[in-house]
Amino acid sequence: MGVEEIAAGISRMEIRGAAEIARKSAQALKEEALDYRGRDVEELRHLLNRGKEELLVSRPTAISLWNGVQAVFKGTQSSMGLEELRKQVVKNADEFIKRSKEAVEIIGRIGSRRVRDGDRILTHCNSKAALSVIVRAHEEGKHIEVFATESRPWRQGLLTVKDLAEAGIGSTMIVDSAARWLMKDIDLVLVGADTICSNGAVINKIGTSQIALAAHESRVPFMVCAETFKFSPKTMYGELVEIEERDSKEVVRPEEVPAITKVLNPVFDATPPEYIDAIITEVGVIPPYAAYEIIVKELGQDFLFEENSTR
Ligand code: RI2
């Protein structure tokens, strides 16, 4: 599939999940470079930059997509010849895809140590990073009970209960608004992330912040499972995260509400760091306030300044 088809698939959410959209975007740019049959390095560079812009607008909230695309372009100086540029793009894309998959597995191993035998775990939406922790704990023989929210309006919870069943784990689904009612019976909340800001705030599926609030009220540990490429260098320089609002038809059919009625469909929200007990990454378990360190150490100071110097 070419860049255009991948970008369209991501914006229609046929391709979804913050890590998966980043991997598919890297793959699309790799194929763009491999399929180029011209002999003009500037033409290839133009095609890759055009592809980058198309991919970046497909899902504006998840920084994983931006970090994934940036990783593909790393070290592609303008002095490079055609074959050198092609090789670098392919190498970067392969490395990003490989490391991103390894990261999920490492998060599972590290996160499972925070799951106790007998824990009742609540998860929201469909996060492969959060599921990696849950499945790993199950594989290690821990007796866990898993509750999954439906995650309206896209209902990613249906994917979660299927993923769990495929791993041999039964689970219980609840409607999103039952989360606080259930919290008295929960021992641990595990969710994913689309973007983690430099102040430790976590952008994730709409409803995450309400669950975090309910967990905080009930003293239930609330942990975010996220690869380091979900941390946002842009927020370090003051940029705010755009909260994607999608078509109201994902919430109700037009004929279900009076013409005078509006329907709002924001699909992400922000959870402040004070409601987050830990962020489980592939480089370790960190407090949300260590997000700044992760951004600088994992993405590199020079890279940050370079990106912002072109503003
Ligand atoms: P992984 C998803 O967004 C959910 O918000 C999920 O928590 C997050 O991406 C991270 O998912 P959407 O694609 O990368 O369902 O952990 O809108 O799979």
Side-chain angles (χ1 to χ4, degrees), residues 13 16-19 59 125 127-129 156 193-194 204-205 230:
M13 288 183 66
R16 55 149 300 281
R59 289 299 303 273
C125 197
S127 159
K128 299 299 188 264
Q156 288 92 329
D194 291 82
N204 195 50
K205 190 50 54 197
K230 302 221 177 119

Side-chain angles (χ1 to χ4, degrees), residues 1-11 13-32 51-52 54-56 58-59 64-69 72 93-94 96-98 100-101 128 229:
M1 284 166 79
V3 168
E4 240 171 80
E5 289 165 284
I6 293 280
I10 291 172
S11 57
M13 288 183 66
E14 289 152 11
I15 300 169
R16 55 149 300 281
E20 187 60 13
I21 65 175
R23 278 191 286 271
K24 282 284 193 291
S25 296
Q27 183 68 24
L29 291 169
K30 169 185 172 182
E31 284 166 16
E32 183 81 36
K52 170 181 170 181
E54 275 179 41
L55 290 162
L56 288 177
S58 61
R59 289 299 303 273
S64 53
L65 203 164
W66 188 85
N67 279 328
V69 166
V72 172
D94 286 343
F96 174 78
I97 292 165
K98 177 172 171 290
S100 72
K101 289 178 180 170
K128 299 299 188 264
F229 61 85

Side-chain angles (χ1 to χ4, degrees), residues 248-249 251-264:
S248 59
K249 294 189 193 71
V251 182
V252 288
R253 292 191 309 279
E255 65 274 16
E256 290 182 292
V257 290
I260 196 170
T261 307
K262 290 193 182 71
V263 177
L264 263 183

